[in-house]
Amino acid sequence: MKKQSLLNLLNSLVTPAFGCTEIGCIAYASSTAAEYLSNDLKEMLVYVSPFIYRNVANVGVPELGKVGVDGIAAAGYVVKKPEKKLMVLNGITKSQIQQTHKLLKNELVKFFILKKCDPVYTKVIAKDIKGNICEVLIEQKHDTIQHIKLNDCKIFVEKPAVIKDADETINVKDVSLTDIYNGIQMLNRKDLHFFIRGINMNEDIAKVGDQKHYFKLKNKKTNWREHILFHVCNAISARMDGCPLPVMSSNDSGDHGITVNLPQYVYHLQKHTQPIVMLRAIALANLITWKIKKNIGSLSAYCGSVVAAATGTIVGIGYQRNYTLKQINDLINYCLCSYSGSLCDGAKLSCSWKVESALIIGFKVLKLVESKQCLPNGEGTVNKDAFQTIKLLGMLSQKIMNITNSKVIDIINFNRTN
């Protein structure tokens, strides 16, 4: 792995997000449509994948509360700031909120769930009172517009350079654990300084969670594990509750970003590790999360914050504890053995409880590995090569993804109406 290729990849994995990433995706699409229509809205149809719907059904939208797909699309249309991409709703005003509720009251926005489409899929078709129609399609990545059509005429969309997994020289299928482990050793503090911004953003939202007392410390002198849970659970809870602060995401998810980045920083503060070790640990945690997410899918029936991000962050802590490559391999296997049954049932306040449980298990895994225990080869879905375990998990995810997710959505809708 060339140094610049690795840095390109890491930079592509961490981006600011305002509210749940799927919120940003819907708002970005509708806001883009608004840019091309200069008259009052007559009607807006919003088509989303079951996975997008699942993650916005019960999540709080900053400043708006729980408004669902139609409310998010309406807000994006009113704000009309597509240049902000996933941060479209950041800074929405009271006047704009009133306009949003007016669109909803007049039932101008309707949404539909498509069964056969990419997991990351949002299409907005907006029509103004003069009869002009604008269609915007986002697919595959939350912030990548595939096309814009105005009155059936396709408008040129300048997409970012098409890069295979952030750089043509890096293919996720070919990357081994050794490649990643050796690759981060090349990176210095200057290379990884961009992570500091993410730490600061995620710490700020954790402070809001602390003020609302989502998670309490027993006392300030408690161990580093409790401090990690305190920061991560408060940050995720505040975000899921609709806190109007952005976070630094990882692999297209704000909760992933909190789960991956904050524990490394907190561990560094508690155990006084070297700053470069902490920064490399963040890089490693993001890369392990990337490897898992690329196998199970960007949006999956699995809980990515548990299966991918919690695994990544436990590996990062292991790195800060000076684990060998063999120990890191065993860490991944133990985590995936424990986490692979965790399903995603949408973005909501209880996401913090899932991550809390995963981290507590992860802390125990660290002790197991340090006692030189490891799982035998062929133990269920576990292979002696952790990256082979990830591949096998991905095969399972692809098989169960659509059926399981469909049933999860049925349950979510049942609970919302009963």
Side-chain angles (χ1 to χ4, degrees):
M1 297 176 76
K2 294 180 180 178
K3 181 177 179 178
Q4 192 55 52
S5 300
L6 185 57
L7 282 174
N8 289 346
L9 174 57
L10 286 168
N11 272 281
S12 74
L13 296 181
V14 292
T15 55
F18 184 70
C20 173
T21 319
E22 284 68 47
I23 291 173
C25 179
I26 296 169
Y28 179 32
S30 62
S31 196
T32 301
E35 272 286 281
Y36 291 89
L37 300 177
S38 55
N39 300 293
D40 291 341
L41 181 69
K42 181 179 181 181
E43 181 184 51
M44 179 160 53
L45 307 178
V46 185
Y47 301 86
V48 297
S49 75
F51 297 91
I52 295 285
Y53 170 73
R54 178 195 69 192
N55 282 3
V56 300
N58 290 309
V59 73
V61 182
E63 305 293 357
L64 289 169
K66 294 180 181 179
V67 292
V69 173
D70 48 350
I72 296 164
Y77 192 89
V78 168
V79 171
K80 199 174 174 178
K81 295 238 181 211
E83 66 276 7
K84 294 172 70 174
K85 293 196 173 184
L86 299 182
M87 302 278 285
V88 165
L89 300 184
N90 188 8
I92 187 171
T93 65
K94 289 183 179 179
S95 173
Q96 290 169 333
I97 292 172
Q98 290 173 353
Q99 292 176 60
T100 297
H101 287 300
K102 184 177 180 181
L103 292 182
L104 294 175
K105 184 178 179 181
N106 294 334
E107 299 183 342
L108 300 184
V109 184
K110 298 179 176 65
F111 76 89
F112 307 88
I113 304 170
L114 298 182
K115 291 187 177 179
K116 294 184 178 180
C117 60
D118 191 86
V120 180
Y121 183 99
T122 298
K123 181 166 73 174
V124 168
I125 302 176
K127 183 177 182 179
D128 67 21
I129 57 174
K130 295 286 186 179
N132 297 303
I133 300 175
C134 183
E135 175 182 306
V136 178
L137 172 64
I138 291 178
E139 193 175 25
Q140 296 181 348
K141 283 185 67 68
H142 292 72
D143 60 355
T144 301
I145 294 175
Q146 298 297 334
H147 74 235
I148 301 172
K149 291 181 181 178
L150 183 60
N151 298 327
D152 288 328
C153 294
K154 215 166 190 179
I155 297 170
F156 173 73
V157 178
E158 186 177 355
K159 298 177 186 177
V162 177
I163 302 174
K164 192 173 187 180
D165 294 321
D167 190 277
E168 290 179 352
T169 62
I170 296 181
N171 187 319
V172 67
K173 293 180 181 179
D174 299 330
V175 175
S176 69
L177 180 57
T178 303
D179 292 332
I180 291 177
Y181 185 82
N182 291 338
I184 64 170
Q185 312 305 324
M186 299 185 293
L187 307 177
N188 58 42
R189 288 181 66 172
K190 184 178 179 181
D191 295 328
L192 299 173
H193 187 72
F194 63 92
F195 282 137
I196 301 299
R197 182 189 178 201
I199 290 170
N200 292 336
M201 292 173 73
N202 294 350
E203 267 285 85
D204 286 344
I205 201 167
K207 291 174 183 176
V208 173
D210 178 27
Q211 292 167 3
K212 293 198 172 186
H213 305 294
Y214 293 113
F215 190 96
K216 295 182 180 180
L217 279 178
K218 295 174 183 176
N219 59 73
K220 291 186 178 180
K221 293 183 179 180
T222 192
N223 62 48
W224 57 268
R225 300 170 190 84
E226 287 294 315
H227 279 279
I228 286 176
L229 295 176
F230 172 77
H231 284 77
V232 172
C233 294
N234 276 320
I236 292 177
S237 296
R239 182 170 180 267
M240 293 292 95
D241 210 18
C243 174
L245 285 178
V247 300
M248 187 62 76
S249 69
S250 171
N251 292 270
D252 297 324
S253 167
D255 281 5
H256 292 13
I258 291 168
T259 305
V260 166
N261 298 329
L262 271 185
Q264 309 312 319
Y265 175 64
V266 175
Y267 185 86
H268 159 70
L269 292 180
Q270 293 292 311
K271 305 299 285 185
H272 308 291
T273 59
Q274 294 181 4
I276 184 57
V277 172
M278 181 265 292
L279 292 171
R280 286 174 179 163
I282 293 177
L284 178 59
N286 275 281
L287 290 168
I288 296 300
T289 303
W290 165 76
K291 179 74 176 184
I292 297 172
K293 287 296 294 274
K294 282 295 183 180
N295 278 270
I296 68 172
S298 179
L299 287 175
S300 166
Y302 281 125
C303 174
S305 292
V306 170
V307 177
T311 300
T313 209
I314 293 300
V315 168
I317 293 171
Y319 179 83
Q320 291 205 69
R321 291 171 74 87
N322 202 30
Y323 278 23
T324 65
L325 190 58
K326 168 68 167 57
Q327 287 177 306
I328 287 175
N329 183 87
D330 293 341
L331 269 184
I332 296 171
N333 271 338
Y334 265 121
C335 285
L336 293 181
C337 175
S338 303
Y339 300 158
S340 60
S342 182
L343 295 175
C344 176
D345 54 347
K348 60 207 175 308
L349 197 60
S350 62
C351 288
S352 64
W353 304 337
K354 281 191 173 186
V355 172
E356 177 187 357
S357 299
L359 291 177
I360 291 171
I361 291 171
F363 299 152
K364 292 182 178 180
V365 166
L366 289 166
K367 290 184 178 180
L368 284 173
V369 172
E370 287 178 4
S371 65
K372 298 184 179 180
Q373 296 187 52
C374 64
L375 292 169
N377 187 38
E379 187 81 0
T381 58
V382 173
N383 186 278
K384 62 181 179 181
D385 179 353
F387 272 28
Q388 186 65 26
T389 302
I390 292 171
K391 182 180 178 181
L392 297 172
L393 186 66
M395 292 168 55
L396 182 60
S397 174
Q398 300 305 318
K399 290 291 183 183
I400 71 169
M401 185 165 64
N402 291 326
I403 297 173
T404 305
N405 193 63
S406 177
K407 294 300 180 184
V408 167
I409 288 173
D410 289 344
I411 293 169
I412 288 173
N413 287 334
F414 175 82
N415 285 336
R416 293 184 75 191
T417 56
N418 288 277

